[in-house]
């Protein structure tokens, strides 16, 4: 009997700067209920699903900045989501901004959790690849201040068993780095959830704007195929406080095929009954890590932070005059 997991990818439309947490949670609960009614076992919400994507703005007041972070989960405004999910017996993934007071230090992370159908937090991930910059770019129509507002995630790429699947998480820009998915695959991941807030315009590279959706899908579909896993990509979509963001919430099979795709830039649920055993043809044959990976030939990439080209010689120097 195949292991089926019915997954609901719950895309969020824009969340306004003055929308309350409670309003945002109510929208998530509405999609949760819709998902349960469609037989979903797991619902995946997006990156920063409780707030607007505030790294798009320069926030000078530290109290205002911290107001976008959760100091614990569940808490007063998110408990209704946890309680409703447990009542419905549905597991969920939730992206949120995390303010962590640990060992006498306060740190800020772009985080996501996996919550079991019983309402227990099974796993947590903190975003590792932080795009954007620390300094405000005044010439840009909007900012990406993730390096300013968040610390680099310190929990690594981990996997957890939940609902008969081995699950993993990465967040937004992590998807652009193949090491993210390969690390999760080496941890046995059969299904990975990726929430994202991706502007349709990159102020530093407008020449790439027509490729935003293509690059997004390229990352997810290649990750799914090259690691033999289901990938669930969940957008915060639409124009949020003047920043137009990619939609395209999708569920991707281990074959790399898109099997469910959102059609709007609003709150939208897409559902697919995932046959988890579809991973085996890829993990056990095409991408059999034990049999086919030849790690002894891979350059020792750990700690290599820059591409290292071969030394220039008389022969291969671009200035070498043709002999
Ligand atoms: N957003 C964007 C992302 O990785 C970005 C930032 C867009 C980086 C396009 C590079 C190119 O989708 C987040 N939140 O990471």
């Amino acid at each position: 009997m195949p292991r089926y997991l019915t997954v609901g990818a719950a895309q969020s439309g824009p969340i306004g700067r003055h929308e309350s947490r409670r309003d945002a949670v109510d929208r998530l609960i509405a999609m949760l209920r819709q998902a349960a009614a469609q037989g979903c076992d797991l619902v995946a919400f997006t990156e920063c699903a409780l707030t607007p994507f505030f790294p798009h703005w320069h926030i000078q007041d530290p109290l205002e900045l911290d107001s976008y972070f959760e100091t614990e989960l569940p808490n007063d405004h998110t408990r209704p989501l946890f309680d409703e999910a447990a009542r419905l017996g549905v597991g969920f993934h939730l992206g949120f901004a995390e303010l962590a007071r640990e060992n006498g230090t306060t740190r800020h992370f772009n985080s996501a959790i996996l919550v079991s159908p019983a309402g227990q937090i099974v796993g947590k991930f903190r975003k590792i690849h932080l795009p954007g910059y620390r300094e405000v770019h005044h010439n840009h129509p909007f900012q990406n201040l993730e390096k300013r507002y968040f610390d680099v995630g310190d929990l690594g790429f981990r996997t957890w068993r939940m609902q008969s699947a081995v699950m993993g998480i990465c967040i937004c820009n992590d998807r652009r780095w193949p090491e993210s998915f390969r690390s999760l695959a080496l941890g046995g991941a059969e299904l990975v959830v990726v929430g994202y807030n991706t502007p349709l315009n990159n102020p530093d590279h407008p020449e790439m704007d027509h490729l935003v959706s293509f690059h997004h899908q390229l990352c997810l579909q290649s990750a799914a195929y090259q690691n033999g896993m289901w990938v669930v990509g969940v957008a915060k979509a639409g124009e949020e406080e003047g920043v137009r963001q990619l939609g395209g919430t999708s569920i991707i099979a281990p074959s790399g095929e898109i099997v469910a795709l959102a059609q709007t830039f609003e709150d939208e649920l897409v559902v697919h009954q995932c046959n988890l055993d579809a991973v085996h043809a890829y993990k056990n044959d095409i991408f059999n890590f034990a049999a086919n990976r030849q790690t002894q030939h891979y350059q020792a990439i750990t700690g290599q932070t820059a591409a290292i080209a071969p030394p220039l010689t008389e022969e291969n120097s671009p200035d070498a005059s043709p002999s």
Side-chain angles (χ1 to χ4, degrees):
M1 177 69 178
R3 289 178 299 149
Y4 286 113
L5 188 77
T6 301
V7 176
Q11 173 176 289
S12 287
I15 298 178
R17 190 166 189 162
H18 300 296
E19 191 167 340
S20 72
R21 276 303 199 291
R22 188 56 210 254
D23 293 340
V25 166
D26 285 347
R27 287 170 52 184
L28 301 183
I29 289 174
M31 288 194 280
L32 178 75
R33 288 172 175 155
Q34 187 187 350
Q38 295 187 46
C40 288
D41 304 303
L42 175 73
V43 177
F45 296 116
T46 189
E47 173 192 27
C48 287
L50 302 172
T51 62
F53 197 69
F54 56 90
H56 287 157
W57 318 316
H58 179 208
I59 301 171
Q60 293 178 292
D61 175 2
L63 291 179
E64 180 191 351
L65 180 58
D66 280 359
S67 74
Y68 290 106
F69 288 79
E70 312 302 325
T71 57
E72 62 176 349
L73 280 182
N75 52 31
D76 289 348
H77 42 252
T78 54
R79 187 171 305 285
L81 175 65
F82 281 69
D83 290 350
E84 184 66 355
R87 186 183 72 83
L88 295 168
V90 178
F92 66 93
H93 159 280
L94 179 72
F96 66 102
E98 176 189 12
L99 192 156
R101 293 191 178 98
E102 295 164 341
N103 310 319
T105 63
T106 297
R107 294 182 296 164
H108 298 73
F109 297 106
N110 185 343
S111 300
I113 52 173
L114 271 182
V115 182
S116 73
Q120 299 303 312
I121 296 176
V122 166
K124 177 161 72 175
F125 173 75
R126 290 168 170 168
K127 186 174 183 177
I128 287 171
H129 298 92
L130 298 175
Y133 27 78
R134 282 182 187 80
E135 301 311 317
V136 177
H137 284 41
H138 295 288
N139 61 326
H140 282 188
F142 59 90
Q143 306 298 313
N144 185 328
L145 293 170
E146 294 194 65
K147 286 188 174 71
R148 187 187 186 96
Y149 294 162
F150 298 127
D151 294 291
V152 172
D154 60 348
L155 300 178
F157 291 105
R158 293 182 54 205
T159 56
W160 305 277
R161 286 190 179 282
M162 190 170 100
Q163 299 176 288
S164 77
V166 179
M167 297 187 193
I169 301 171
C170 63
I171 298 176
C172 204
N173 198 260
D174 289 321
R175 77 190 187 281
R176 300 183 191 278
W177 300 88
E179 295 92 338
S180 305
F181 292 102
R182 183 50 51 90
S183 301
L184 290 169
L186 289 167
E190 298 173 311
L191 183 144
V192 171
V193 178
V194 194
Y196 56 92
N197 285 254
T198 300
L200 289 172
N201 160 247
N202 183 337
D204 291 315
H205 293 288
E207 76 279 8
M208 297 182 189
D209 286 356
H210 69 290
L211 295 170
V212 167
S213 180
F214 168 67
H215 285 161
H216 162 73
Q217 287 301 110
L218 186 64
C219 291
L220 295 196
Q221 290 180 261
S222 55
Y225 169 62
Q226 290 175 336
N227 294 286
M229 54 173 62
W230 290 89
V231 174
V232 182
V234 192
K236 171 88 75 51
E239 183 163 341
E240 184 177 84
E241 296 296 325
V243 181
R244 294 169 53 243
Q245 299 211 113
L246 178 68
T249 290
S250 63
I251 300 174
I252 299 162
S255 63
E257 294 168 291
I258 299 172
V259 295
L261 180 64
Q263 301 300 308
T264 72
F265 286 94
E266 298 156 8
D267 290 5
E268 180 180 350
L269 180 76
V270 292
V271 177
H272 185 77
Q273 185 187 46
C274 300
N275 174 0
L276 296 171
D277 291 332
V279 306
H280 296 316
Y282 297 92
K283 288 188 184 293
N284 298 343
D285 186 355
I286 315 294
F287 298 103
N288 182 318
F289 288 167
N292 299 348
R293 282 183 86 228
Q294 301 299 335
T295 54
Q296 73 276 13
H297 292 299
Y298 304 162
Q299 296 198 8
I301 59 174
T302 303
Q304 184 177 332
T305 56
I308 303 169
L312 283 176
T313 62
E314 282 300 313
E315 290 71 35
N316 67 23
S317 162
D319 303 329
S321 52
S323 50

